[in-house]
Amino acid sequence: MSEQTMRAVTIEEFGGPEVLTADRVARPEPLPTEVLVRVHAAGINPVDWKTRAGHGMAGLQTLPLILGWDVSGVVEEVGFGVTTLAPGDEVYAMPWFPRPAGGYAEFVTAPSRQFARKPASLSHVEAAALPLAALTAWQALVDTARVTGGQRVLVHAAAGGVGHLAVQFAKHLGAEVIATAREPRHTWLKELGADETIDYTRQRFEEATGKVDVVIDLMGAADDTDVRSVSVTRPGGLVVSIPGGVSDTLAAAAGQAGVRTSPLLVEPDAAALTAVAGLVDSGAVRVEVERTFALEQAAEAHRQGETNRTRGKLVLEMTR
């Protein structure tokens, strides 16, 4: 096995899960200020299968492409000028997003300061499930909404990757948390900190709860969730619309109701990942991994992810 190549899953064209192909490709080399990380596990996110299908971040990618932004692994080599990490350090990250990071591979390179030290209490599989989802939830609640104690926060799609972490972060910030999800997930969500749970398939959420200060909308235009969220948001409150940003329809409804709106696209943020690691290691936050797959099973993992029925996250293991 050549040290100049590595296992990876590539796509030559956008399309269905069948375009994901296991292959051997050239191993990347770190530039100055970059690190080479041996990937032990890579998280799978909705943006992965959306991009694979020609949507998501497809317009920012060049084919052939190695998908994947969530990684956990060990620093193999450091480029000139790196002072914060050394070979042997266990790290996790969401490097380069929305540019390609190549996470579905045995090695990745990225600027050293986009990596944070892996939570000591987690395996690489668990850590790989965190970065994109945790940073999305963190940047929505902490940086954008600036949630404080006593506020009421509504989290849509609360049982998913971003949602189950948003519930925990909001609770950590002192908020009262209302979570929408199918009924079988309710007991688990209450264990994570949800004060109220609503089965959106049986009851319209706007009829089941009072006014809230912040909505973390992970559904967007699906079933008009974004626009319907305005009706439960107090004047001056905020709807953070994550999947597709703020549509003209949402902006108009919010403006008429005196509600603020904000889009959000997650960014690499090692400082936030360090804070998240601290919460995880203290026991305040936990991450859910429903299933793991071998690297060569990436297509199967995408098929499961596209059912939108995953509890928490799906992860590829490079060592399987």
Side-chain angles (χ1 to χ4, degrees), residues 44-45 70 122 126 128-134 136-138 141 155-172 177 179-181 185 188-194 216 218 280 284-290 310-315:
I44 298 173
N45 295 285
D70 277 346
L122 296 187
E126 293 166 318
L130 272 172
L132 190 148
T136 301
W138 186 272
L141 289 160
V155 179
H156 290 305
V162 176
H164 85 290
L165 293 166
V167 166
Q168 295 176 80
F169 293 159
K171 194 65 179 178
H172 173 73
V177 184
T180 69
R185 308 297 197 203
W188 171 61
L189 287 168
K190 288 181 177 178
E191 291 173 358
L192 296 181
I216 303 301
L218 300 168
V280 169
V285 170
R286 66 182 194 255
V287 62
E288 181 81 5
V289 176
E290 180 169 296
T310 300
R311 171 169 148 165
K313 295 292 295 293
L314 305 174
V315 176

Side-chain angles (χ1 to χ4, degrees), residues 15-310:
E18 69 278 0
V19 303
L20 294 161
T21 303
D23 202 353
R24 293 202 69 86
V25 301
R27 194 178 94 167
E29 296 293 332
L31 297 174
T33 75
E34 292 185 347
V35 292
L36 173 71
V37 172
R38 181 184 291 272
V39 178
H40 286 226
I44 298 173
N45 295 285
V47 69
D48 296 9
W49 59 76
K50 291 176 182 177
T51 300
R52 184 217 69 225
H55 310 295
M57 297 298 149
L60 301 177
Q61 316 304 315
T62 301
L63 297 173
L65 171 66
I66 301 174
L67 287 169
W69 283 277
D70 277 346
V71 295
S72 181
V74 178
V75 175
E76 184 90 355
E77 182 182 340
V78 300
F80 175 80
V82 173
T83 62
T84 58
L85 295 172
D89 287 343
E90 294 189 318
V91 295
Y92 77 137
M94 183 202 70
W96 294 118
F97 191 86
R99 297 183 182 187
Y104 294 6
E106 290 183 301
F107 293 91
V108 297
T109 56
S112 64
R113 293 177 187 269
Q114 291 188 2
F115 289 88
R117 295 182 187 276
K118 178 183 75 66
S121 60
L122 296 187
S123 66
H124 284 293
V125 165
E126 293 166 318
L130 272 172
L132 190 148
L135 287 177
T136 301
W138 186 272
Q139 290 169 11
L141 289 160
V142 177
D143 300 334
T144 304
R146 300 183 181 181
V147 169
T148 59
Q151 290 187 314
R152 302 186 81 229
V153 175
L154 171 62
V155 179
H156 290 305
V162 176
H164 85 290
L165 293 166
V167 166
Q168 295 176 80
F169 293 159
K171 194 65 179 178
H172 173 73
L173 294 167
E176 179 183 346
V177 184
I178 303 98
T180 69
R182 292 173 181 265
E183 192 278 331
R185 308 297 197 203
H186 287 190
T187 298
W188 171 61
L189 287 168
K190 288 181 177 178
E191 291 173 358
L192 296 181
D195 297 287
E196 298 179 28
T197 50
I198 301 168
D199 185 341
Y200 63 92
T201 68
R202 299 178 179 178
Q203 186 175 19
R204 292 178 72 83
F205 65 83
E206 60 267 41
E207 298 172 355
T209 189
K211 293 292 186 180
V212 302
D213 299 283
V214 175
V215 178
I216 303 301
D217 172 25
L218 300 168
M219 296 290 290
D223 199 24
D224 295 323
T225 300
D226 52 356
V227 174
R228 290 165 54 206
S229 294
V230 171
S231 67
V232 299
T233 307
R234 66 166 180 80
L238 176 66
V239 176
V240 183
S241 189
I242 294 173
V246 178
S247 67
D248 292 343
T249 305
L250 172 58
Q256 188 172 12
V259 169
R260 296 175 296 130
T261 60
S262 177
L264 185 141
L265 185 62
V266 66
E267 303 176 51
D269 187 346
L273 285 179
T274 297
V276 169
L279 291 175
V280 169
D281 286 338
S282 73
V285 170
R286 66 182 194 255
V287 62
E288 181 81 5
V289 176
E290 180 169 296
R291 186 179 171 189
T292 64
F293 301 81
L295 178 63
E296 291 76 11
Q297 295 176 303
E300 182 182 349
H302 275 222
R303 290 187 185 97
Q304 177 167 332
E306 287 179 296
T307 67
N308 293 318
R309 293 292 179 266
T310 300

